């Protein structure tokens, strides 16, 4: 209960990001995610729901974030990323 009531600090951010990336690596090829999102969003844009400026802005933001993550991690192999996440995950626990 004490841990739940503590406010997170800036030092809590990196372990959380590492855990996120580690979990994502098990969900499929993260490098392909921007293409998957783009395909989904392009299909959605041709519907009545896609004709909404706020939705389109959110879609573009999601695509940008996904592309940035893929670009940031692209120089590294999946094995390197997995190894880094695994070793850092152990340190954060």
């Amino acid at each position: 209960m004490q841990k739940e009531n503590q406010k997170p600090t800036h030092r809590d951010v990196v372990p959380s990001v590492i855990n996120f990336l580690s979990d994502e690596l098990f969900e499929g090829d993260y490098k392909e995610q921007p293409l998957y999102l783009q395909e989904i969003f392009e299909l959605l844009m041709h519907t009545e729901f896609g004709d909404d400026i706020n939705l389109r802005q959110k879609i573009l933001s999601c695509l940008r974030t996904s592309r940035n993550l893929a670009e940031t991690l692209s120089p590294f192999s999946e094995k390197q990323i997995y190894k880094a996440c695994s070793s850092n995950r152990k340190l954060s626990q």
Side-chain angles (χ1 to χ4, degrees), residues 2 4 9-11 17 29 34 39-42 44 46 50-51 53 68 71 82 87 89 91:
Q2 287 177 342
E4 292 173 0
T9 67
H10 67 280
R11 292 181 186 172
V17 171
D29 190 2
E39 183 180 345
I40 292 165
F41 293 152
E42 283 176 355
L44 179 64
H46 294 292
D51 193 24
I53 190 69
N68 287 340
E71 282 179 28
Y82 178 78
S87 62
R89 188 176 225 177
L91 292 174

Side-chain angles (χ1 to χ4, degrees), residues 13-59:
V13 173
V14 173
S16 294
V17 171
I18 289 168
N19 289 339
F20 168 76
L21 289 176
S22 182
D23 292 342
E24 283 301 305
L25 290 176
F26 296 110
E27 294 295 322
D29 190 2
Y30 66 90
K31 293 178 183 178
E32 298 298 320
Q33 293 300 314
L35 295 174
Y36 299 158
L37 283 173
Q38 184 173 347
E39 183 180 345
I40 292 165
F41 293 152
E42 283 176 355
L43 291 171
L44 179 64
M45 296 256 229
H46 294 292
T47 68
E48 185 178 332
F49 297 108
D51 193 24
D52 179 286
I53 190 69
N54 291 327
L55 178 62
R56 288 176 182 241
Q57 289 171 336
K58 290 175 186 176
I59 287 170

Side-chain angles (χ1 to χ4, degrees), residues 81-92:
I81 295 167
Y82 178 78
K83 185 177 177 182
C85 288
S86 294
S87 62
N88 282 306
R89 188 176 225 177
K90 290 175 189 171
L91 292 174
S92 68

Side-chain angles (χ1 to χ4, degrees), residues 61-76:
S61 177
C62 288
L63 281 169
R64 187 173 29 257
T65 300
S66 183
R67 282 187 192 125
N68 287 340
L69 175 61
E71 282 179 28
T72 299
L73 297 176
S74 66
F76 309 103

